[in-house]
Amino acid sequence: MLRLLSVLSLLLILSLSSQAQTKLSGCYSRTYSAAELARHPKMRVAVIQVMLKSLGSNGEGDGEIGGKYRGEKSLSGNVLFCKAKAKSLYCQVEGDGGNFNISEMEGGALIVAGPDGFSFDDEYSVGGEDENIFHVTKMRDAACK
C-alpha cells in the first residue's frame, strides 16, 4: 500500500511539474519607448521578442529570440534551445549566440536575464551595463512573427 501511495505521489508531482513547464509558451515582447532608451543610453536594444514553444515531457523545447537594435528598421532573430531548470528556463541561442535564463514574474510577464550576453544575430552581442535583464510581456503569437 505504501509503495502504491509513493508511485501515485510521484505521478502527481510529475504531472504538476509538466503543467508548470508547458505554461511558459507563446510570444513575449517589449518595445522600448524613446524616453526609456534616453534613460539608458548604453542600451542598444529597442525591441526584444521571445517566442517559446511548449516544452516536451522531458522539459526541453525550442523557440526563437528576436530583437531590433536602435536605428535598425527590421528585426534580427535566432533559434533557441531551452530546458526547464527549477522555476526557470535555461535557453541557449543557436550557434555561438550565448545563453540566458527566463523566469516568470507575477502577472505572467517574463524576465530574460543574460548576464554573460547573447545575440539576436551574428553581428552584435546583447549584454553589458544596460542590457543584461529584460522584462517582456505576453502578447498574441502573431506579434512575434
Side-chain angles (χ1 to χ4, degrees), residues 100-101 111-118 126-134:
F100 53 89
N101 288 301
I111 295 175
V112 176
D116 297 326
F118 59 91
V126 175
E129 187 176 323
D130 282 344
E131 295 182 320
N132 54 11
I133 296 177
F134 299 93

Side-chain angles (χ1 to χ4, degrees), residues 2-144:
L2 184 59
R3 186 169 189 210
L4 177 61
L5 286 174
S6 296
V7 170
L8 289 175
S9 296
L10 178 62
L11 289 174
L12 178 61
I13 290 168
L14 290 174
S15 170
L16 290 174
S17 89
S18 173
Q19 289 172 9
Q21 291 171 1
T22 58
K23 72 178 181 175
L24 289 182
S25 65
C27 172
Y28 298 83
S29 180
R30 180 157 184 190
T31 299
Y32 291 91
S33 69
E36 289 171 309
L37 292 171
R39 284 193 305 274
H40 299 279
K42 293 182 180 179
M43 190 166 122
R44 296 167 294 155
V45 175
V47 176
I48 183 169
Q49 296 181 340
V50 179
M51 180 65 160
L52 298 172
K53 297 179 183 164
S54 294
L55 299 179
S57 59
N58 62 356
E60 296 180 359
D62 60 358
E64 298 173 20
I65 185 145
K68 184 167 71 169
Y69 300 101
R70 288 182 194 234
E72 290 190 350
K73 295 192 186 304
S74 61
L75 290 166
S76 300
N78 216 329
V79 176
L80 294 177
F81 303 99
C82 300
K83 183 171 181 73
K85 204 172 186 185
K87 293 185 177 186
S88 66
L89 293 177
Y90 173 76
C91 297
Q92 294 179 295
V93 182
E94 186 177 54
D96 291 331
N99 56 69
F100 53 89
N101 288 301
I102 297 176
S103 303
E104 189 171 21
M105 296 170 45
E106 195 172 308
L110 301 181
I111 295 175
V112 176
D116 297 326
F118 59 91
S119 179
F120 302 134
D121 57 23
D122 295 331
E123 290 185 45
Y124 301 106
S125 179
V126 175
E129 187 176 323
D130 282 344
E131 295 182 320
N132 54 11
I133 296 177
F134 299 93
H135 297 156
V136 292
T137 56
K138 182 82 167 152
M139 309 291 272
R140 290 185 176 165
D141 287 355
C144 285

